[in-house]
């Protein structure tokens, strides 16, 4: 009797990695570094496909609706996998537990909290004292109502007992520009995009959200050190790989092993560290736990603050 042909080993063709944001940002940069390094252990290229729109919803939908065959992956963030499921209208939101399977936690990016030099603030204590003395008079921007940046402002006000005035912008780029021009006075931003402005003195850092102090800013304390663990955790951006729900467990394990091998590569670690990014890795369960913890935090803030989102958000 002729032997039955064994199924071809996975993967047999290039894999698409959907990034739900435009090229050039920190999410895209992390995706491309890891995608390039996963090619060797997989024996196939991993091609980045940028699908921006709808606060990450367009890209997430593209992954959720793709065949569950291991040839479409999604780069998820705290915004797309934890905030959007809570903040989007029921008609448009995705449910990560229903629509995705976790593959691996990739990396995290610290945030830096800074002020315009005109404020004359150089330490966390000075910032809090000034903000409390001027309730509602210091402006801080975010990339929109209901964004992670907006939630950080709300948690910041509650945790520090201050009243920063929130101004929503269309994207984080205008937020950074607003504080550099003096239109706003306070900034919460991912460290890689603020690093050059901090180095030049155009922004004065007073705290960072990170697991430990940043080597580039050894004098700036973490919010965890300062006793604000909840705010510290919320402001750390994380990235992870997900696949459509129903992707075979063996395929998920192959992808997880390839991603972990990529993250262990010294060249990859060097590239990520140069961007201020910390490699994570580990089991799919690690990413699942991060998603669940972040979603709980977002729900708590929404309930505490009774956030009302614009129609259609």
């Amino acid at each position: 009797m002729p032997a039955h042909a064994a199924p071809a080993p996975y993967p047999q063709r290039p894999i698409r990695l959907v990034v739900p944001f435009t090229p050039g940002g920190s999410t895209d940069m992390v995706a491309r570094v890891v995608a390039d390094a996963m090619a060797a252990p997989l024996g196939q290229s991993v091609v980045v496909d940028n699908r921006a729109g709808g606060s990450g919803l367009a890209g997430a939908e593209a992954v959720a609706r793709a065949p569950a065959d291991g040839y479409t992956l999604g780069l998820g963030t705290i915004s797309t996998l934890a905030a959007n499921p809570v903040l989007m209208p029921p008609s448009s939101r995705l449910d990560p537990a229903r629509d995705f399977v976790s593959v691996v936690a990739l990396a995290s990016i610290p945030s830096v909290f800074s002020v315009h030099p005109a404020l004359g603030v150089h330490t966390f204590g000075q910032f809090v004292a000034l903000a409390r003395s001027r309730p509602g008079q210091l402006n801080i921007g975010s990339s929109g109502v209901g964004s992670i940046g907006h939630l950080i402002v709300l948690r910041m006000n509650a945790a520090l007992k201050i009243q920063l005035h929130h101004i929503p912008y269309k994207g984080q780029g205008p937020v950074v520009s607003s504080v550099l021009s003096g239109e706003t006075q306070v900034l919460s931003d991912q460290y890689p995009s603020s690093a050059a402005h901090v180095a030049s003195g155009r922004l004065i850092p007073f705290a960072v959200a990170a697991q430990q102090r940043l080597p580039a800013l050894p004098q700036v304390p973490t919010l965890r050190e300062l006793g604000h663990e909840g705010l510290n955790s919320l402001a750390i951006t994380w990235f992870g790989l997900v696949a459509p729900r129903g992707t075979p467990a063996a395929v998920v394990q192959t992808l997880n092993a390839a991603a972990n091998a990529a993250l262990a590569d010294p060249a990859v670690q060097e590239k990520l560290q140069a961007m201020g990014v910390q490699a994570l890795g580990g089991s799919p369960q690690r990413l699942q736990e991060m998603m669940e913890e972040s979603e709980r935090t977002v729900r708590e803030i929404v309930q505490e603050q009774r956030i009302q989102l614009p129609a259609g958000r």
Side-chain angles (χ1 to χ4, degrees):
M1 297 288 291
H4 291 290
Y10 167 85
Q12 289 295 302
R13 63 179 190 270
I15 297 165
R16 179 176 63 136
L17 173 55
V18 177
V19 175
F21 301 104
T22 55
S26 56
T27 308
D28 179 69
M29 291 190 291
V30 169
R32 292 178 186 277
V33 169
V34 176
D36 288 347
M38 287 178 66
L42 288 172
Q44 293 286 342
S45 60
V46 179
V47 181
V48 172
D49 179 7
N50 295 92
R51 294 287 189 94
S55 299
L57 183 62
E61 285 182 334
V63 177
R65 295 172 179 171
D69 55 10
Y71 290 99
T72 299
L73 299 177
L75 188 77
T77 70
I78 186 173
S79 294
T80 61
L81 296 178
N84 284 355
V86 176
L87 298 166
M88 287 287 182
S91 60
S92 63
R93 71 178 56 150
L94 295 173
D95 180 356
R98 179 195 65 208
D99 299 317
F100 303 119
V101 59
S102 298
V103 175
V104 69
L106 284 183
S108 66
I109 294 183
S111 290
V112 59
F113 292 78
S114 57
V115 294
H116 190 280
L119 287 188
V121 165
H122 290 85
T123 68
F124 175 79
Q126 291 173 349
F127 166 74
V128 172
L130 179 65
R132 288 176 179 171
S133 71
R134 297 171 59 180
Q137 298 178 39
L138 300 183
N139 297 328
I140 182 169
S142 81
S143 58
V145 174
S147 66
I148 282 292
H150 181 204
L151 300 186
I152 289 172
V153 174
L154 295 174
R155 178 53 63 90
M156 196 173 176
N157 280 342
L160 306 183
K161 297 179 174 58
I162 58 178
Q163 296 177 34
L164 299 177
H165 178 237
H166 173 242
I167 300 177
Y169 291 86
K170 293 183 178 180
Q172 190 64 12
V175 173
V176 177
S177 297
S178 73
V179 75
L180 293 175
S181 69
E183 181 178 8
T184 59
Q185 293 77 44
V186 187
L187 176 67
S188 167
D189 187 36
Q190 293 178 358
Y191 176 67
S193 58
S194 284
H197 303 305
V198 169
S200 69
R202 298 183 70 193
L203 294 175
I204 307 299
F206 62 84
V208 296
Q211 299 301 329
Q212 56 191 15
R213 293 196 183 196
L214 305 184
L217 300 174
Q219 78 283 6
V220 181
T222 68
L223 287 164
R224 168 181 285 175
E225 289 178 68
L226 296 165
H228 301 289
E229 175 64 38
L231 179 58
N232 191 79
S233 297
L234 180 65
I236 298 175
T237 297
W238 50 257
F239 305 108
L241 290 183
V242 295
R245 174 62 60 180
T247 300
V251 170
V252 171
Q253 186 55 47
T254 296
L255 291 166
N256 176 271
N260 275 299
L263 293 171
D265 185 334
V268 170
Q269 293 184 358
E270 183 178 353
K271 290 177 182 177
L272 294 179
Q273 289 171 2
M275 295 189 292
V277 176
Q278 178 185 2
L280 296 178
S283 69
Q285 183 62 27
R286 181 181 188 184
L287 175 60
Q288 186 64 36
E289 291 171 355
M290 291 166 59
M291 291 163 54
E292 293 171 355
E293 179 183 356
S294 294
E295 184 173 333
R296 282 194 299 270
T297 300
V298 171
R299 289 190 184 280
E300 288 174 3
I301 297 172
V302 169
Q303 293 169 0
E304 290 170 1
Q305 301 297 324
R306 297 182 174 87
I307 296 174
Q308 296 294 320
L309 300 177
R313 171 68 168 85

